[in-house]
Amino acid sequence: SESNLDEGTYTITITATNADASTSSTSFTVDVSDVPPVVSADSGTVNSAENAAATSSGTFSDYDDVVTITASAGTIEQTGTQSGTWTWSESGLDEGTYTITITATNADASTSTTSFTVHVSDVPPVVLADSPSVAAAENATASNSGTFSDYDDTVTLTASAGTIEQSGTQSG
C-alpha cells in the first residue's frame, strides 16, 4: 500500500524472488485522482434591506493545492491560499430572493460549490409632517405640509381625511 501520492497515474511492479534467486513479476497501474477543495457558507440564508449591503462569509480548504474563490454575483474577498475564509457582499439589490453560488477551484482545476439564499426586503417610504399638531377654527381650513421619500420606489400619498397635494413621485 502507498499513501500520499499526488494525482496522476503510477505503474507499480511487484516482484517475487525465491531462495534460488528465481523471480517473477506483475505490474498494475494506480490512478490517483485529485481531491477537490471544500467550501462552505457560515449560513444558508442572508437577510438584508434593499438600501444596505448584503453580506455572507464562509471557509475553504484543499488537501494540497492553492484555491481560488469566486462568486456568481457580487464581490468576494479571500483570506488564505490553501485554506482560509471568504467574505461576500453586494449592494444595490432590489427586494426579492437571490441564490448566490460560491465556487472553490484548486490549482488542478477541481471545483466544489456552496450556495446561499439572499432575501432582500423592501424599505418602506418615509413621510414626515412639518408640524406635529395643527389648530384651526371649525369654519377655517386646517393645513400642514411635509416631506416624503423612498429608497427606490414611486410613492403615492393619501390622507385619512381631507385632500392632499403631492409634488414629486419618489421624494418631495
Side-chain angles (χ1 to χ4, degrees):
S1 81
E2 175 70 31
S3 61
N4 297 320
L5 291 174
D6 201 16
E7 58 276 345
T9 301
Y10 299 88
T11 300
I12 308 298
T13 302
I14 306 295
T15 303
T17 306
N18 67 15
D20 294 326
S22 296
T23 62
S24 177
S25 298
T26 188
S27 295
F28 60 93
T29 60
V30 175
D31 290 316
V32 179
S33 59
D34 184 55
V35 175
V38 175
V39 62
S40 63
D42 292 339
S43 177
T45 303
V46 173
N47 294 304
S48 178
E50 66 182 337
N51 64 349
T55 62
S56 185
S57 59
T59 60
F60 68 92
S61 64
D62 190 88
Y63 173 72
D64 64 347
D65 293 314
V66 170
V67 176
T68 301
I69 302 295
T70 57
S72 60
T75 302
I76 193 93
E77 292 184 20
Q78 175 179 339
T79 302
T81 55
Q82 188 174 337
S83 66
T85 60
W86 56 265
T87 304
W88 171 89
S89 67
E90 178 142 7
S91 297
L93 292 171
D94 201 15
E95 63 267 5
T97 300
Y98 303 86
T99 299
I100 305 299
T101 301
I102 305 297
T103 302
T105 305
N106 71 14
D108 295 318
S110 295
T111 64
S112 64
T113 62
T114 189
S115 296
F116 56 91
T117 302
V118 178
H119 296 289
V120 179
S121 59
D122 183 54
V123 174
V126 175
V127 61
L128 300 170
D130 288 343
S131 298
S133 178
V134 175
E138 66 181 327
N139 63 348
T141 302
S143 68
N144 200 351
S145 59
T147 59
F148 67 93
S149 65
D150 190 88
Y151 176 72
D152 66 344
D153 294 317
T154 299
V155 175
T156 301
L157 298 177
T158 59
S160 61
T163 60
I164 191 163
E165 289 185 33
Q166 180 174 336
S167 174
T169 57
Q170 195 168 351
S171 65

